[in-house]
Amino acid sequence: MKAGAVEVGHGSKVTQRGVNRGMSILDLFLRIIAIIATLGSAIAMGTTNETLPFFTQFVRFRAKYSDLPTFTFFVVANAIVSAYLLLSLGMSIFHIMRSRAQASRIALIFFDAAMMALLTAGASASAAIVYLAHKGNTKTNWFPICQQYDSFCHRTSGSLVGSFIGIIIFILLVLLSALSLSRR
């Protein structure tokens, strides 16, 4: 080997730092996508309402997200998760600059898992209500309302899709952080 030449081996620190930085950039990108998905879900559900006329134009039936506590919980859970993701962007940028940070990654795994649990609870409970709205339950005399409130049902279903995308991204974020920690 010549004088002044630098040998970069298979497991060198330079290569590992580059991989860790790449994982941190992916983490930042996933967080931005998760913000869009969860904030979009909260806004879509929070602005969902539909009014149908009955016999006259003075008597109307209304469906609004706030009429169901489950949907209210869904909106609050998605808003909390969106705010957390927005705040965690700073930590994600810190990991790009300092790819060897460990304590902050452990904290992110903990908080990401907690936010994933909150998001899963809100989305799962709302999914049950949306299913009943679409299919009903004849044994309990709950009739499907989506034939009448079509716009309401489409918006709530779309809102659930965004929230479940957020859950999948959180799973990826936790796995990515765990993988990054295990490489040390």
Side-chain angles (χ1 to χ4, degrees), residues 127-139:
I129 299 298
V130 169
Y131 178 82
L132 282 175
H134 280 281
K135 303 289 184 185
N137 186 336
T138 56
K139 293 179 183 176

Side-chain angles (χ1 to χ4, degrees), residues 48-64 67 133 144-153:
T48 298
N49 65 19
E50 186 174 359
T51 304
L52 296 175
F54 192 51
F55 290 117
T56 69
Q57 81 184 74
F58 299 111
V59 178
R60 296 176 180 249
F61 287 119
R62 183 186 65 145
K64 190 173 181 182
D67 294 336
I145 65 163
C146 286
Q147 293 146 358
Q148 293 83 22
Y149 294 98
D150 189 49
S151 174
F152 179 81
C153 289

Side-chain angles (χ1 to χ4, degrees), residues 16 19-24 27 95 98-102 105 109 173-184:
Q16 186 176 3
V19 170
N20 286 343
R21 179 164 287 148
M23 291 171 70
S24 296
D27 180 87
H95 289 147
R98 303 254 195 252
S99 59
R100 309 254 323 142
Q102 289 185 353
R105 283 206 190 271
I109 288 175
L173 286 170
V174 169
L175 291 175
L176 191 63
S177 290
L179 181 63
S180 180
L181 282 172
S182 71
R183 294 180 51 82
R184 290 180 172 63

Side-chain angles (χ1 to χ4, degrees), residues 75-147:
V75 170
V76 170
N78 275 279
I80 289 171
V81 169
S82 296
Y84 162 76
L85 284 165
L86 192 61
L87 293 173
S88 72
L89 286 178
M91 192 63 68
S92 189
I93 291 169
F94 171 75
H95 289 147
I96 292 172
M97 294 184 299
R98 303 254 195 252
S99 59
R100 309 254 323 142
Q102 289 185 353
S104 57
R105 283 206 190 271
I106 292 170
L108 270 181
I109 288 175
F110 175 75
F111 288 117
D112 285 350
M115 291 297 120
M116 182 178 60
L118 177 64
L119 193 59
T120 302
S124 299
S126 294
I129 299 298
V130 169
Y131 178 82
L132 282 175
H134 280 281
K135 303 289 184 185
N137 186 336
T138 56
K139 293 179 183 176
T140 58
N141 289 327
W142 292 343
F143 301 104
I145 65 163
C146 286
Q147 293 146 358

Side-chain angles (χ1 to χ4, degrees), residues 28-41:
L28 177 67
F29 180 69
L30 287 173
R31 286 181 191 283
I32 292 170
I33 293 172
I35 289 170
I36 294 167
T38 56
L39 187 60
S41 290

Side-chain angles (χ1 to χ4, degrees), residues 8-20 100:
V8 178
H10 180 68
S12 73
K13 290 183 180 186
V14 174
T15 305
Q16 186 176 3
R17 192 177 311 135
V19 170
N20 286 343
R100 309 254 323 142

